[in-house]
Amino acid sequence: MGKRRRGRTRWALIMFLVGAVAVLDARADERSDLRAALGKLPYGIVYESYRGSDWELFAMQADGSAGRNLTRSPSTDDLYPHASPDGKRICFVVDEGKGKARSRNVYLLGADGTGRKLLARNARQPCWGPDGRRVAYLPGEFDRFTTTDYATRGLVIHDLATGRSRRHVNDKLHHLYNPCWSPGGGWFTATVHGGMGHRHANLAFPAAGQGVFKIPHVGGCRPDLSPDGKRVSWNPSDHAIAVADVTLSPHGPAVTNVRKVVTCDKDHEVYHSDWSPDGKYLAFSYGPKGGEQVGAMAKGWHICVADASRTNVWIALTSDGQSNKEPDWFPVARGGLGR
Amino acid sequence: MTSTGWWPAACLLGLVALTVAPGLSCRKDGAGGGRDPLPIVRTSSGVEMVLLPGGFFEMGSAGGERDERPVHRVWIDALLMDRTEVTQDQFRRLQMPDPSHFKGPRRPVEHATFAEVVAFCNERSAAEGLGACYRLDEQRGTWSCDFDATGYRLPTEAEWEYACRASTTAERYFGPGGEPALRKHAWYAANASKATHPVGLKKPNGWGLYDLYGNVAEWCNDGYDPNYYRTSPARNPAGPPAARLVVLRGGAWNSKPDACRSAARAGEDPKFHDVCFTRDSVGFRCVRKPIKD
């Protein structure tokens, strides 16, 4: 009797191990397939990277190849890059100056790394309008420099053609961070922290109106809208990136089909999700516990890409151990970055 | 008079003399409720602090939770402690973004990351020309405190309990009276209407300190170890060398009465710089060494 039971236990253990090996093999195949698929995409990824003494903007192909330093500006910290819809320009923030003269400002840069131009002083976290002709950014709350991401008041829309800026009509916008302009141009999403009556929430508000709506079922931070505007990705915690179907309407946002795309253990963090131009992939940052805020050190963080339709099918594109964060996709097909 | 009886009085007299110095505004306050009033110091940035004498006290509670035992005798050096919890107005005057959920210039700051709290302490020190107490490691999410520095820091939990008790030994500093008395001294779940309130509206303790019970639970400088009292030093205990949680004291607007006791302890993940998961029921007050401004 005892021998028979031991035999059954042994068989169960063997079957479990065989199953586990099969699952691991399948995962390895999925990752290999993902890398191959990324190699065929006409996209690149731009990101911020700490290079020993300062932050620079780097760009690489979607499979992690052909990485290069776009800014080469050792006297400033260049951060939070966002590529224009056509991939020909980047808006980003620059921390510059020392001591009491230090400031965070918004700049523009050409795809080839030339044409660096100041867009706004004491401003942060710019994003592109869908037409590629306007940039929205968040003015700093105080003159004094801070890396605190929600230290903002209002939202400004800058027209690149005319050079004119205008404040969003809702003058109550306060303590927003991580804004994202909807592909249709009618909405913004952002996270609020300790402002506008909210403790901490992800919000949607019209680009030209007074309403402000809490995005239901999307708790956490850093919402990012897919290129078709029908899905949203965000951080429900330090250790997960989720996506959901979203509808933005005058009645407010509606969210369904919430699912996790990336999860990690408690000793690591995932942040800064960004949809690929075809809406199939999410780029994100991953690494050991560190600073996810713009300009905060996060040694050992890597730029990664996940299949947005699966759970935990992802690969790391960088491997240099630097603080690599804030990835943003761009198209390279028509004279975009890196061409 | 026993040796422990005259020491606090002697220290108090010495400190009163010490504070009569250029740059310090010093007065007595009648908040002692019949006890000797303690000197109130107005700092160069206009914040009132109470000059607490050095002294012994019995820390912990024999009838409280397991982590409040054993009751043990502790010496605390003299220190200056904020009369109230740090307010949102204080944050804004230093041009630091106010993370609070419940807005109001005289309401306490809450919902701050631990990194923001210790950064405020250092900024407040710098604004008054004092030496920074905290050294931050943003990458590791760690901090260290220089207790010899002249600037502002969080109180150790021993300092906090010493200040809260104000020479009393009962469960609460006002003695018996239960909840009816607690309502006069604290904003807590039964009377706070699910929000913080401007500081200093309730009755202070015998040393003139406000809102020690309720309103916001207060960060202390120490890591939280439920067994710490078994091994803690007898003079100025500063917490265990390492801990995952940080001590909170005093209870908050959403607390039950049991959390609003002098000896009640709690531990909270400091979430060093993670704004997503901070709490709107947690704030702080500062202390510093009683030196000339």
Side-chain angles (χ1 to χ4, degrees), chain A residues 168-228:
Chain A
H168 190 282
V169 293
N170 185 347
D171 60 5
K172 302 283 194 304
L173 299 178
H174 183 215
H175 279 189
L176 297 176
Y177 67 97
N178 213 82
C180 175
W181 205 332
S182 70
W187 290 85
F188 284 101
T189 60
T191 305
V192 64
H193 184 78
M196 301 159 67
H198 293 277
R199 189 181 70 80
H200 185 92
N202 288 317
L203 304 178
F205 52 96
Q210 294 286 348
V212 175
F213 303 92
K214 186 175 177 179
I215 306 176
H217 313 301
V218 179
C221 62
R222 294 174 169 80
D224 189 65
L225 293 166
S226 62
D228 62 4

Side-chain angles (χ1 to χ4, degrees), chain A residues 141-144 150-151 175 177 193-194 197-200 221 236-238 289-292 297-299, chain B residues 91-92 94-101 103 111 116 123 138-140 271 273-280:
Chain A
E141 183 177 19
F142 299 110
D143 292 336
R144 179 189 178 156
Y150 63 87
H175 279 189
Y177 67 97
H193 184 78
H198 293 277
R199 189 181 70 80
H200 185 92
C221 62
S237 76
D238 291 347
K289 281 189 173 183
E292 72 273 15
M297 295 297 293
K299 197 172 181 184
Chain B
F91 248 54
R92 277 199 285 269
L94 289 176
Q95 292 208 347
M96 293 184 70
D98 168 22
S100 305
H101 176 200
K103 296 293 190 196
H111 205 216
E116 288 169 327
E123 293 296 338
E138 292 282 346
Q139 168 69 29
R140 292 182 182 157
K271 294 283 183 191
H273 42 41
D274 193 339
V275 300
C276 296
F277 305 102
T278 49
R279 291 178 184 269
D280 57 9

Side-chain angles (χ1 to χ4, degrees), chain A residues 23-271:
Chain A
V23 167
L24 288 173
D25 266 358
R27 285 277 146 156
D29 286 346
E30 287 170 339
R31 289 184 184 127
S32 179
D33 292 346
L34 175 58
R35 190 175 293 278
L38 294 176
K40 296 172 187 167
L41 292 176
Y43 309 139
I45 294 172
V46 61
Y47 59 99
E48 64 185 33
S49 183
Y50 190 74
R51 294 282 142 173
S53 59
D54 73 304
W55 293 87
E56 302 277 356
L57 301 186
F58 275 65
M60 61 187 171
Q61 298 299 118
D63 61 355
S65 63
R68 66 273 190 200
N69 185 339
L70 287 179
T71 41
R72 298 184 185 283
S73 177
S75 62
T76 61
D77 289 312
D78 302 333
L79 301 150
Y80 200 79
H82 279 63
S84 60
D86 63 4
K88 292 182 177 176
R89 284 180 290 185
I90 301 168
C91 58
F92 61 109
V93 298
V94 178
D95 289 353
E96 52 193 331
K98 289 184 178 172
K100 288 184 177 177
R102 191 157 177 81
S103 60
R104 177 165 286 186
N105 306 310
V106 169
Y107 276 71
L108 278 179
L109 186 72
D112 57 359
T114 63
R116 189 183 178 102
K117 179 186 172 189
L118 176 67
L119 200 68
R121 292 193 187 279
N122 190 16
R124 46 188 61 213
Q125 301 184 28
C127 64
W128 288 90
D131 56 10
R133 298 199 308 250
R134 291 170 295 169
V135 170
Y137 62 82
L138 302 172
E141 183 177 19
F142 299 110
D143 292 336
R144 179 189 178 156
F145 175 79
T146 177
T147 59
T148 301
D149 45 16
Y150 63 87
T152 69
R153 183 174 285 281
L155 182 146
V156 168
I157 295 172
H158 180 87
D159 188 312
L160 295 172
T162 65
R164 288 183 185 156
S165 298
R166 65 172 173 84
R167 284 203 163 248
H168 190 282
V169 293
N170 185 347
D171 60 5
K172 302 283 194 304
L173 299 178
H174 183 215
H175 279 189
L176 297 176
Y177 67 97
N178 213 82
C180 175
W181 205 332
S182 70
W187 290 85
F188 284 101
T189 60
T191 305
V192 64
H193 184 78
M196 301 159 67
H198 293 277
R199 189 181 70 80
H200 185 92
N202 288 317
L203 304 178
F205 52 96
Q210 294 286 348
V212 175
F213 303 92
K214 186 175 177 179
I215 306 176
H217 313 301
V218 179
C221 62
R222 294 174 169 80
D224 189 65
L225 293 166
S226 62
D228 62 4
K230 293 179 178 176
R231 285 168 295 163
V232 61
S233 67
W234 78 99
N235 266 90
S237 76
D238 291 347
H239 316 292
I241 290 171
V243 301
D245 299 338
V246 64
T247 305
L248 298 170
S249 78
H251 306 295
V255 169
T256 56
N257 195 20
V258 174
R259 63 271 188 197
K260 297 242 175 96
V261 171
V262 179
T263 59
C264 70
D265 63 71
K266 300 293 182 192
D267 293 327
H268 292 78
E269 297 180 358
V270 288
Y271 267 104

Side-chain angles (χ1 to χ4, degrees), chain B residues 131-280:
Chain B
C133 289
Y134 290 104
R135 182 184 293 267
L136 313 183
D137 185 333
E138 292 282 346
Q139 168 69 29
R140 292 182 182 157
T142 60
W143 65 95
S144 59
C145 180
D146 177 3
F147 285 89
D148 293 326
T150 55
Y152 293 94
R153 60 174 170 81
L154 296 172
T156 65
E157 70 168 322
E159 289 168 340
W160 191 96
E161 185 170 329
Y162 174 67
C164 181
R165 288 189 176 280
S167 298
T168 66
T169 56
E171 193 172 64
R172 298 191 177 94
Y173 59 69
F174 50 75
E179 280 213 56
L182 183 59
R183 284 172 178 269
K184 296 175 182 170
H185 289 263
W187 297 108
Y188 67 112
N191 65 356
S193 303
K194 298 183 178 178
T196 61
H197 291 263
V199 299
L201 295 183
K202 292 290 185 180
K203 284 188 170 182
N205 77 349
W207 283 354
L209 299 162
Y210 290 88
D211 299 304
L212 288 155
Y213 302 144
N215 216 13
V216 285
E218 297 178 18
W219 286 114
C220 290
N221 195 67
D222 318 25
Y224 172 74
D225 175 356
N227 300 313
Y228 182 59
Y229 288 4
R230 294 178 192 169
T231 58
S232 60
R235 295 185 72 86
N236 300 309
R244 193 178 65 81
L245 306 178
V246 171
V247 170
L248 287 178
R249 286 302 199 111
W253 56 267
N254 56 356
S255 294
K256 293 178 178 173
D258 194 52
C260 303
R261 293 183 296 110
S262 301
R265 308 175 70 203
E268 171 74 10
D269 189 331
K271 294 283 183 191
F272 187 67
H273 42 41
D274 193 339
V275 300
C276 296
F277 305 102
T278 49
R279 291 178 184 269
D280 57 9

